Amino acid sequence: MITNEIRKSIVYMAHYSMASHIGACLSIVEILYTLYFKVLHIDPSNPEKKNRDKFILSKGHASAALYATLAERGFFPKKLLDKYYIDDGVLPGHLDMQSVPGIEISAGSLGHGLSIGVGMALANKIDNNSGKIFVLIGDGECNEGSIWEAAMIAPTLKLNNLTVIIDYNKLQGFGYTNEIINQSNMIERWQSFGWEVMEVDGHDVQKLNDSLKKESLCPKILIANTVKGKDISFMENKLEWHYKSPNENQYKQAINELNIISNKQNS
Ligand SMILES: Cc1ncc(C[n+]2csc(CCOP(=O)(O)OP(=O)(O)O)c2C)c(N)n1
């Protein structure tokens, strides 16, 4: 399974570079896989194609997940994943659009990706460009006021070429999202701004695929229920894995668990 390969790359990258944000990467693997392998009209041999669909990873601290997915999809050699977040590396810890092909925006300062996505979607409307825009934001990232400015304007501009996915993993950097700022009424909130809202299991590729491909007259948003640290038993739903990186033993255990999942899938 490609999702499992992506997870192994993420664990490897966080381990050797001693980087943070492994939990945030592991929660979005199925979302990225579904987008890059089933939904987006893109061509890895021509990443700048004019009417391509564009994906924005607004929660740019999860860069390792996108780098690993792009490598699996053939945008650049997998060997480059050895150059993540290290001195003289190629792939910076926060997302850099100049590092490798396939990255539409640099990101890491939270709260900007949705506004950029609104601009891209509006530009495509004006230019009669059929390319669609997809933006992935974090649930904690929704604490940023700029998210709500973009949320207000998109339906007014009738941007039905814009899809947002919230990685609703219920944790942010320093605690539970809804304890820091309660947004448990997420569905009603986005609906009240004029968005078509769908709630989906963020690890179910079939359901993600169906929801992402659904046509709509207005901008739409998928509230994707996910698990931070997904598929590594000692990382799942554990706040500390926002910042920690796996040591040698933890790395071996994590890869072992992912291998067990691979073996089950192959049998
Ligand atoms: C503007 C800004 N403030 C603070 C940070 C530091 N920061 C990095 S990740 C993070 C938590 C984000 O939580 P969430 O959006 O829920 O993403 P998750 O890590 O759970 O995927 C914070 C506060 C940042 N990158 N940008």
Side-chain angles (χ1 to χ4, degrees):
M1 283 287 283
I2 293 171
T3 47
N4 217 35
E5 291 307 308
I6 295 171
R7 281 202 169 85
K8 283 184 198 167
S9 295
I10 291 168
V11 173
Y12 167 65
M13 292 159 82
H15 167 60
Y16 80 72
S17 68
M18 296 189 286
S20 295
H21 306 136
I22 186 168
C25 290
L26 293 170
S27 68
I28 60 171
V29 171
E30 282 75 18
I31 298 170
L32 295 182
Y33 168 76
T34 309
L35 283 164
Y36 278 91
F37 285 82
K38 296 186 177 293
V39 176
L40 295 178
H41 292 104
I42 42 159
D43 179 357
S45 66
N46 185 8
E48 301 286 320
K49 203 170 170 187
K50 194 166 175 288
N51 62 350
R52 70 190 183 279
D53 293 339
K54 292 181 179 169
F55 170 69
I56 293 173
L57 180 63
S58 189
K59 42 166 267 182
H61 57 284
S63 61
L66 182 56
Y67 296 140
T69 307
L70 290 172
E72 289 291 340
R73 187 68 174 82
F75 278 85
F76 56 86
K78 229 174 144 178
K79 193 86 195 102
L80 275 185
L81 299 180
D82 292 348
K83 299 271 177 195
Y84 170 69
Y85 220 159
I86 51 171
D87 290 346
D88 298 323
V90 175
L91 305 170
H94 288 83
L95 207 54
D96 182 353
M97 64 190 289
Q98 293 181 329
S99 56
V100 277
I103 298 169
E104 299 289 353
I105 70 159
S106 300
S109 180
L110 295 166
H112 299 295
L114 184 49
S115 300
I116 296 171
V118 165
M120 286 178 175
L122 179 59
N124 279 1
K125 287 270 177 197
I126 293 167
D127 294 343
N128 281 322
N129 182 326
S130 58
K132 293 181 176 157
I133 310 298
F134 296 81
V135 185
L136 176 54
I137 59 178
D139 50 6
E141 186 180 3
C142 292
N143 294 359
E144 298 284 349
S146 51
I147 293 285
W148 300 100
E149 294 179 40
M152 282 191 285
I153 192 71
T156 308
L157 296 171
K158 301 190 173 50
L159 299 179
N160 64 342
N161 54 350
L162 175 67
T163 301
V164 173
I165 305 128
I166 295 195
D167 174 26
Y168 193 19
N169 61 27
K170 285 78 175 180
L171 282 168
Q172 52 192 79
F174 292 107
Y176 288 104
T177 301
N178 288 332
E179 286 179 4
I180 291 164
I181 294 183
N182 186 15
Q183 44 184 321
S184 53
N185 60 344
M186 228 182 238
I187 295 178
E188 294 82 355
R189 269 192 201 205
W190 286 85
Q191 274 172 343
S192 75
F193 281 78
W195 290 68
E196 177 168 342
V197 185
M198 284 169 273
E199 195 175 9
V200 65
D201 175 346
H203 299 298
D204 184 326
V205 170
Q206 188 59 52
K207 293 208 170 102
L208 283 166
N209 183 45
D210 294 346
S211 312
L212 288 165
K213 285 186 177 157
K214 199 166 167 251
E215 293 292 331
S216 167
L217 294 174
C218 55
K220 65 176 198 270
I221 180 157
L222 266 63
I223 297 172
N225 288 303
T226 57
V227 175
K228 206 156 172 170
K230 172 77 176 156
D231 277 356
I232 312 293
S233 61
F234 59 96
M235 293 187 193
E236 285 195 356
N237 292 316
K238 294 277 189 324
L239 180 64
E240 69 215 55
W241 289 100
H242 184 83
Y243 288 111
K244 274 176 75 169
S245 63
N247 63 25
E248 191 62 32
N249 284 341
Q250 290 161 332
Y251 170 67
K252 283 185 186 150
Q253 188 183 336
I255 294 294
N256 192 31
E257 290 188 15
L258 292 172
N259 282 335
I260 291 170
I261 293 173
S262 299
N263 292 340
K264 270 194 198 144
Q265 281 160 350
N266 295 334
S267 64

